[in-house]
Amino acid sequence: MARSAAAHTRSAAARARTAVAHPRTAAARARTAALRTTARARGAARGARRRWRAASPQQRQTVRLTAASSALGLVVALVTVASAGPWDSGQRTAERVRAARQEHGSGRDHTPGRPDGYPMAPQVLAAAGPVPNQGQGGPQSGSGNRGTRPEVPPPTASALADTLEPLIEDGSLGAVRHASVVDAVTGRQLFSRDAKAVSAPASTVKLATAVAALTARGETYRIATRAVGEGDRVTLVGGGDPTLTERDLTAMAARTARALDKRGVHKIRLGYDTSRYTGTDQHVIGPNENLARVTPLMVEEGRTGGTPGAGGSGGNSDHGPAPRVADPALEAAKAFARELGEKGVSVEGAPKERKAAKGAAELAIHHSATLGALVERMLTNSDNDIAEALARQTALAGEKSAGFKSAGRAVHRTLKKLGLPLKGARFADGSGLDRADRVSPALLTRLLTLAADPDRPTLRPVLTGLPVAGFTGTLDSRYGGERGEPGAGLVRAKTGTLTGVNTLAGTVVDADGRMLAFAFMTTGASGREVAQQSLDRLASALANCGCREG
């Protein structure tokens, strides 16, 4: 009995201790459950933000319309009550005043225009981009796009990182992945992945070539090809226009024949002058269908078969890889001799390379398209021949002749005067075919924001010449398929491709209407196509992004 009583007493004490401890245990469990609920809520919020950022503009609009329709009944009820309320007159008067104020400015900024006739940067993406708001806002440090409405805020850095970082980690991009995204309005850095590190840019270096040439020569400058004569010696002088066509040469020959006839000269010795360029005319890649020998005198970029619609036989297009003649300058002179012969001028022997006499009179001249138009053509089609010519024009603006080295120095010198970030930059050529070229994503995005600066309208061809995703130039066959389509028509960018090197740099207007400039540079990708698809997804994500917290 005594043992039983003692056991009963111990059992009762244990139950008492359990009862005392139970409230503490319950409280701990409640706190744990609350923490788990909070964590789940935060995770769900993050997931919702990611899904919202990943949604297309159309999907976002659907969500907004759904939310609006859910509230429609309540709105109608409130309006009905309001119409019968004692404050009816005052409320409606206020609404009319507010509407009148909105109407006064609703169309004011939709036709940008400048007194000098140059387009504002938003016009480059008028269909999808922001509308100008003159006299408000403004880029910092002389760059950006003052035309974007100031009430449209830029993406936040953290939200943009959430969107881009998973994509830039894609293994198909190779070991080297550099990136820069900036706000085109202010030039402020919004996203960076080693943005100041330099690497091979491939053809995106053409952005630097374009800005340098436009700065040195001006948007309206035209390259001249001349025929000069002294006695019976006629010389065809190359000025550096790779776009000279057979039709242009025919017109020059007709004018030359008329000038010679007035002088009573009907038999000549023909020469050709290539002294505007110095050094080797052979790029380091050697004979290649991507680039003719770099000479100041050539017809249709030295392409064999002519250019459709340009007076040639129509064997080739006017862009992209194509067979090239072995000596473009000599072939141009031979074609000129044939045209002179058809115009009644007898040409003795074969054309000889020689420098034009200083006192030779001008017989005929042909001017190229404006430098702005050449820049657009170069960027749209990634035209290597025009790129090398424009790099040399940058040098010729301050020197008598130009070659690969002097052109590279001139480009660097011109960009330095613009205050651009050039640490580690190297311009071994103007086209990007040379793997020795080095630029940073930060430089590329600064070039783009500089071109968007309303105070630098002569640089606008850098933006207007960018290929449009899914429609023009080197992007016409990209951005197809389910994953690429969100960027079609919205992304404008310069492509860059060498074996193992894939780059993309351009502009987008994001889902909220903010203009952004971006540059993605990668090296070491195992496959070109998959790397390009990854780059396209990055650019599409930017175009589709309303990347702001909250």
Side-chain angles (χ1 to χ4, degrees):
M1 288 292 293
R3 284 194 299 271
S4 177
H8 180 74
T9 300
R10 287 193 298 272
S11 176
R15 285 195 297 272
R17 287 194 299 272
T18 300
V20 171
H22 181 72
R24 290 196 296 269
T25 303
R29 288 174 179 172
R31 285 195 298 273
T32 301
L35 290 173
R36 288 175 179 171
T37 301
T38 301
R40 284 195 295 269
R42 289 175 178 171
R46 285 194 297 269
R49 285 198 298 271
R50 291 194 184 98
R51 288 191 295 274
W52 177 256
R53 294 166 190 155
S56 67
Q58 293 83 357
Q59 291 170 328
R60 295 183 188 191
Q61 184 66 9
T62 299
V63 172
R64 293 184 182 112
L65 290 174
T66 302
S69 63
S70 300
L72 182 59
L74 178 60
V75 172
V76 171
L78 291 173
V79 170
T80 302
V81 173
S83 64
W87 39 276
D88 170 77
S89 178
Q91 172 72 6
R92 293 193 177 191
T93 300
E95 289 299 324
R96 281 198 299 270
V97 172
R98 181 171 179 270
R101 286 174 179 171
Q102 288 180 334
E103 184 178 358
H104 175 72
S106 63
R108 180 180 55 192
D109 301 323
H110 287 265
T111 306
R114 292 171 51 101
D116 54 20
Y118 287 100
M120 294 290 287
Q123 288 180 288
V124 179
L125 288 167
V131 292
N133 191 5
Q134 299 175 9
Q136 300 184 35
Q140 298 173 357
S141 304
S143 67
N145 170 17
R146 279 190 272 241
T148 304
R149 285 191 182 278
E151 63 264 24
V152 178
T156 59
S158 58
L160 199 58
D162 285 346
T163 298
L164 297 182
E165 282 179 354
L167 297 174
I168 208 168
E169 291 297 334
D170 190 332
S172 65
L173 290 175
V176 176
R177 308 165 199 172
H178 301 156
S180 173
V181 178
V182 301
D183 178 14
V185 179
T186 63
R188 184 169 66 89
Q189 189 87 47
L190 299 176
F191 178 80
S192 171
R193 169 67 70 92
D194 296 326
K196 296 182 180 180
V198 298
S199 59
S203 281
T204 53
V205 82
K206 291 183 175 74
L207 294 171
T209 303
V211 169
L214 288 168
T215 301
R217 283 296 202 194
E219 187 268 343
T220 59
Y221 181 82
R222 297 174 185 266
I223 304 172
T225 303
R226 298 180 298 127
V228 300
E230 185 180 48
D232 67 344
R233 290 165 60 95
V234 174
T235 306
L236 185 62
V237 183
D241 176 15
T243 65
L244 184 73
T245 67
E246 291 185 12
R247 182 178 296 156
D248 299 331
L249 210 59
T250 299
M252 283 189 68
R255 291 194 294 271
T256 300
R258 288 195 296 269
L260 290 172
D261 184 61
K262 289 180 180 179
R263 299 181 180 202
V265 178
H266 302 96
K267 189 174 184 179
I268 66 164
R269 291 173 292 167
L270 181 63
Y272 60 98
D273 186 344
T274 61
S275 62
R276 291 286 274 171
Y277 291 178
T278 57
T280 180
D281 64 359
Q282 185 66 66
H283 193 281
V284 294
I285 63 173
N288 197 284
E289 293 188 348
N290 289 297
L291 179 67
R293 298 182 80 91
V294 184
T295 171
L297 180 61
M298 63 174 68
V299 175
E300 295 164 353
E301 301 182 347
R303 296 169 181 273
T304 60
T307 302
S313 61
N316 294 311
S317 68
D318 60 357
H319 62 275
R324 310 301 179 101
V325 297
D327 190 338
L330 175 59
E331 293 302 323
K334 288 180 177 179
F336 191 58
R338 289 193 297 269
E339 294 295 337
L340 286 173
E342 292 183 5
K343 304 298 185 293
V345 179
S346 176
V347 180
E348 290 186 350
K352 303 291 184 182
E353 185 171 7
R354 65 169 181 252
K355 194 169 183 177
K358 290 184 178 180
E362 185 176 285
L363 303 174
I365 187 169
H366 170 76
H367 290 99
S368 71
T370 65
L371 205 69
L374 294 179
V375 162
E376 289 183 329
R377 176 172 164 181
M378 173 190 70
L379 294 175
T380 299
N381 297 323
S382 198
D383 194 300
N384 299 309
D385 300 276
I386 297 178
E388 296 300 343
L390 293 182
R392 281 156 180 74
Q393 288 300 319
T394 304
L396 290 172
E399 303 176 19
K400 293 183 178 180
S401 61
F404 280 102
K405 291 183 179 180
S406 58
R409 289 194 298 266
V411 169
H412 193 285
R413 183 170 58 249
T414 303
L415 298 183
K416 185 177 181 180
K417 290 179 181 178
L418 294 173
L420 295 169
L422 293 170
K423 185 177 181 179
R426 182 185 178 190
F427 304 101
D429 66 1
S431 61
L433 291 172
D434 195 327
R435 290 178 176 274
D437 289 325
R438 289 291 182 273
V439 304
S440 66
L443 173 59
L444 295 177
T445 50
R446 281 287 289 118
L447 290 166
L448 291 163
T449 56
L450 200 67
D453 187 344
D455 293 331
R456 299 181 186 272
T458 59
L459 296 182
R460 203 72 73 241
V462 176
L463 298 185
T464 56
L466 293 174
V468 180
F471 289 92
T472 64
T474 54
L475 288 182
D476 63 350
S477 60
R478 288 169 61 167
Y479 291 79
E482 182 179 352
R483 299 188 72 178
E485 286 175 356
L490 302 178
V491 174
R492 297 191 70 135
K494 181 70 200 76
T495 58
T497 306
L498 294 171
T499 302
V501 176
N502 296 275
T503 59
L504 192 68
T507 63
V508 298
V509 173
D510 72 7
D512 291 323
R514 192 76 171 193
M515 186 175 178
L516 310 176
F518 68 88
F520 303 122
M521 304 179 68
T522 69
T523 304
S526 57
R528 181 182 68 177
E529 185 174 349
V530 292
Q532 288 178 346
Q533 290 173 352
S534 294
L535 292 176
D536 293 346
R537 283 194 289 272
L538 278 162
S540 294
L542 272 181
N544 189 43
C545 185
C547 299
R548 300 200 308 274
E549 296 293 349

